[in-house]
Amino acid sequence: MRDRTFAPSRILIYLVVFLIAVAWLAPLAVVVLNSLRSNEEIAQGSMIGWPQHLAWSNYATAWSGFCVAETCAGIRPYVLNSALVTVPATIFSTLLGAIAGYAVSLWRFRGDSWIYGIVTLGIFLPQQMRLLPWTIVLRDTGLMNTLTGLVVIHTIQGLSFTTLFCRNYYTAIPQELIRAARIDGAGFFRIFWRIILPLSPPMLVVTVIWQFTHIWNEFLYGVTFTTGQQQPVTAALIALSAAVADIPQHGVQSAAVMIAALPTLLIYLIGGKYFVRGLTAGAVK
């Protein structure tokens, strides 16, 4: 039979893990509870408390009734903006990163290591360094204050990460497969579509989840390069906070935060195990 006794060291490890989990989940728990409390209840008590009556109306108000930036349509249009930016940018950056990772890992050419180093350098550059170059690019291309401009930014910014992950994954693919395909007359893109891409689902899941979460939660570019009805939901939340500065409505604010966080939470709940498997597959290979 399995020994069910716990050594003091194991108990200490469980205690530390439990405390870390509580510290991480406490802010989320406070926001969830406040989203179900009325403003009167919060004002009469404190920001931390169990709801006496479930105020589901906070979600309806936050979604389609509250005024954000002088437009009383809630955060619904801004959630749509984030979706219109996040979905195409995630698809484009993942696909282009997979092609680039394949090129610099399995298709040898002069200067491939230099190109790989330049592309992945973008991971280590702070976002603030990129604001001025992107301002010039968006101004000259006429994409300032447009969702298309944000798609371009996040697609190019994401290439560093997706190229790095895909390249490290593809280096484990035997070169014999590529040589055999070349002998059969397959070219660059045919090898990629017929051989490389079918072997890529574990790593593509990782990059899609990572990119979707990062782009959806990104704030700096959204608040810098867009205004008004073109802003993503993260920037709209700041506008909502400013709008209720005189009369705080913490219940509506908390509900808006939960609505904005729901897509990324669902992504992790649905694809979390595939995310771990993809990371493990890449690490083992």
Side-chain angles (χ1 to χ4, degrees), residues 5-241:
T5 60
F6 292 95
S9 59
R10 184 179 295 273
I11 295 176
L12 179 61
I13 292 174
Y14 287 156
L15 179 61
V16 172
V17 171
F18 174 77
L19 292 177
I20 293 175
V22 170
W24 274 99
L25 294 176
L28 176 62
V30 172
V31 174
V32 171
L33 292 177
N34 284 335
S35 70
L36 297 173
R37 301 170 67 195
S38 65
N39 294 321
E40 294 77 10
E41 182 180 337
I42 296 175
Q44 294 173 1
S46 66
M47 292 292 295
I48 300 177
W50 195 264
Q52 299 178 1
H53 303 284
L54 298 180
W56 294 106
S57 60
N58 289 338
Y59 284 89
T61 302
W63 176 249
S64 60
F66 206 83
C67 297
V68 181
E70 299 181 355
T71 301
C72 298
I75 65 169
R76 177 176 53 185
Y78 304 99
V79 171
L80 178 60
N81 289 345
S82 290
L84 293 176
V85 171
T86 303
V87 173
T90 298
I91 295 174
F92 294 151
S93 61
T94 299
L95 181 59
L96 294 175
I99 296 175
Y102 156 61
V104 298
S105 63
L106 299 176
W107 198 278
R108 299 302 180 186
F109 55 92
R110 181 176 298 180
D112 57 347
S113 59
W114 283 97
I115 293 177
Y116 172 69
I118 293 173
V119 172
T120 55
L121 181 64
I123 298 177
F124 307 100
L125 296 177
Q127 290 185 332
Q128 290 79 2
M129 291 182 59
R130 311 166 191 173
L131 290 179
L132 181 58
W134 276 121
T135 300
I136 297 173
V137 170
L138 296 182
R139 180 197 63 192
D140 294 345
T141 56
L143 296 178
M144 187 69 75
N145 196 30
T146 64
L147 298 181
T148 302
L150 292 182
V151 172
V152 172
I153 290 176
H154 291 305
T155 297
I156 296 178
Q157 296 288 149
L159 282 178
S160 298
F161 169 80
T162 56
T163 300
L164 173 65
F165 262 57
C166 291
R167 184 261 183 188
N168 291 341
Y169 185 80
Y170 291 155
T171 52
I173 296 178
Q175 286 284 344
E176 288 74 15
L177 289 176
I178 309 300
R179 297 192 187 99
R182 290 179 179 176
I183 293 174
D184 292 338
F188 179 89
F189 286 104
R190 187 173 182 182
I191 293 176
F192 176 76
W193 289 109
R194 296 294 183 86
I195 298 177
I196 303 301
L197 205 57
L199 298 175
S200 304
M203 186 49 56
L204 293 182
V205 169
V206 174
T207 55
V208 166
I209 293 177
W210 183 279
Q211 283 297 98
F212 184 94
T213 304
H214 171 74
I215 297 172
W216 185 277
N217 292 331
E218 199 280 327
F219 170 76
L220 181 61
Y221 295 128
V223 77
T224 302
F225 298 123
T226 59
T227 59
Q229 294 299 302
Q230 298 299 317
Q231 288 188 321
V233 68
T234 50
L237 290 177
I238 299 300
L240 186 149
S241 176

